[in-house]
Amino acid sequence: MAITVNLYYTGENGAARKFAEEMEASGTADAIRAEEGNVRYRYFQPLDDSETVLLIDAWRDQETIDAHHASPMMAKIAELRDKYDLHMTAERYVTDEAGLPDHDQAFIRK
């Protein structure tokens, strides 16, 4: 099982993009990627919304998410969110261990 959380960071005047860039440049994103249980930590920007950045944040299980939330890393993230005056929405997904059914595989170009 993996748990994926899509976090949408929204700000003004490019603040969300600047936040993501600082997370990467400061090494904070890489430190999170190196945490036990992290599966994915990647930023994306929707083509139709230049004021929002999407973070796809995936973890092996709830215990590793809880450990991440209890880590000193969260203080740095909160500091940067405040610096850029960002607001967030979130979506949470649990991975289906079986993967895509065969009838859906036909639509995946590899």
Side-chain angles (χ1 to χ4, degrees), residues 70-107:
S71 76
M73 206 67 60
M74 290 307 296
K76 177 65 175 172
I77 296 168
E79 175 187 315
L80 288 177
R81 283 192 309 233
D82 290 345
K83 174 181 176 180
Y84 291 104
D85 192 26
L86 298 178
H87 301 275
M88 301 163 54
T89 58
E91 303 166 339
R92 180 181 163 106
Y93 304 94
V94 177
T95 301
D96 179 355
E97 292 300 319
L100 287 176
D102 289 341
H103 63 275
D104 287 341
Q105 288 289 345
F107 298 101

Side-chain angles (χ1 to χ4, degrees), residues 36-49:
E36 175 69 26
N38 184 264
V39 175
R40 182 173 302 106
Y41 195 89
R42 294 194 60 201
Y43 291 99
F44 299 88
Q45 190 158 34
L47 295 176
D48 63 348
D49 184 357

Side-chain angles (χ1 to χ4, degrees), residues 2 4 7 12 14-15 24 26 32 34 36 44 50-51 53 57 59 64 66 75 81 86 88-89 95 103-104 107:
T4 300
L7 294 167
E12 295 180 2
E24 292 291 346
S26 69
I32 294 167
E36 175 69 26
F44 299 88
S50 63
E51 296 300 338
V53 166
D57 188 16
W59 296 85
T64 56
D66 292 344
R81 283 192 309 233
L86 298 178
M88 301 163 54
T89 58
T95 301
H103 63 275
D104 287 341
F107 298 101

Side-chain angles (χ1 to χ4, degrees), residues 2-17:
I3 299 170
T4 300
V5 180
N6 290 350
L7 294 167
Y8 296 87
Y9 291 98
T10 303
E12 295 180 2
N13 301 314
R17 174 85 185 213

